[in-house]
Amino acid sequence: MDTLTASEAIAYMRALSGHVLRNHKQILSAAFNLNTPLVDDLAEADAEGNYPVITDNIEIGRRGIELAALGGFDKVTFDGAADTYPSECIASPFIRYLNPSDTQVLQLCFENALELIHLAHQAGLLTYMSAGFKFGGHIPQAVFAGTDGIGIGGAQILRYMDHSTGHQGPCESPSLSSEIVTDIRY
C-alpha cells in the first residue's frame, strides 16, 4: 500500500476484493511498509487542511491493521524493507529480547511485534512479517511473537551475493530443510 493515503488504500482494497473470485484457499494481503510514512486522510485535517502523516513504525502497523480490516482483506503484512541493502531484519530486536548483548539495528521490539500481531488477530486478520529474515535466530523469534507467516528473502539467503558490488548471482543450493529445522529449534 506504499504511497497510497489511508482512504486510497481502503478504496483500492475494496475494489480489488470485489473483483476477485475467491475460494477458501485464497487470501488477500495488504502490505504496509513500516518505514514508509502514511498520510492518514481519514483523520481530521489541521487548520491548513493538511492531514496527519504517520511516521512511527508501530503507529503505521496499527493503522495498517485497521485499514486492512476496513478494506476487506484477510491478512496484513508488516514489511520492514528500507533503503538499505540487504534489509535489516524486522525481527532483529527479538534476538535482543532473549540476548541483551545483541547489537543489531532495531525495527520492532518483541513487545511491539506481539502487540501488532495480537491486534491483527483480534481484527480477524492473518499476519505476515517480511524484511531481512535470515537463518540463525530470526525465524524462531518471529514465531514466538505469534506471526502466521514470514518472508525469507531469496536474495539474501538463496543466492550468491557479491558484497562489494551488491550484484546477485545464481542460486546456491543449501539444505534448506535442515537449516530451517535447526533454526526453529534455536
Side-chain angles (χ1 to χ4, degrees):
M1 300 297 153
D2 293 357
T3 72
L4 297 179
T5 67
S7 66
E8 290 170 342
I10 290 172
Y12 172 78
M13 288 184 277
R14 287 180 178 171
L16 181 64
S17 183
H19 290 291
V20 174
L21 298 175
R22 294 196 278 179
N23 64 33
H24 67 283
K25 295 179 182 180
Q26 294 171 310
I27 294 173
L28 294 175
S29 179
F32 291 91
N33 187 316
L34 301 183
N35 297 308
T36 300
L38 174 64
V39 176
D40 192 356
D41 60 346
L42 298 177
E44 193 171 319
D46 65 16
E48 287 103 35
N50 298 317
Y51 293 104
V53 177
I54 304 171
T55 57
D56 178 75
N57 62 357
I58 305 310
E59 291 303 318
I60 293 169
R62 287 181 187 131
R63 194 59 165 152
I65 292 166
E66 295 169 357
L67 297 176
L70 288 169
F73 272 36
D74 310 294
K75 179 168 64 173
V76 62
T77 294
F78 304 115
D79 183 9
D83 58 358
T84 60
Y85 189 83
S87 296
E88 292 295 334
C89 185
I90 193 168
S92 298
F94 297 165
I95 297 170
R96 184 172 298 170
Y97 180 76
L98 296 179
N99 179 4
S101 66
D102 190 288
T103 59
Q104 292 183 331
V105 174
L106 294 175
Q107 287 215 52
L108 284 179
C109 72
F110 183 82
E111 292 83 0
N112 287 339
L114 191 64
E115 175 192 346
L116 290 178
I117 291 164
H118 179 73
L119 289 171
H121 287 165
Q122 266 187 326
L125 300 171
L126 294 170
T127 59
Y128 187 85
M129 299 175 81
S130 179
F133 278 98
K134 298 176 186 165
F135 298 118
H138 298 142
I139 296 169
Q141 307 320 321
V143 172
F144 294 156
T147 192
D148 298 300
I150 59 170
I152 300 175
Q156 295 181 44
I157 295 176
L158 303 177
R159 292 186 176 274
Y160 166 78
M161 188 167 103
D162 182 339
H163 292 282
S164 63
T165 65
H167 294 157
Q168 298 172 14
C171 286
E172 297 178 0
S173 56
S175 176
L176 287 180
S177 59
S178 65
E179 289 188 45
I180 290 173
V181 170
T182 302
D183 196 38
I184 291 176
R185 291 183 184 162
Y186 183 75

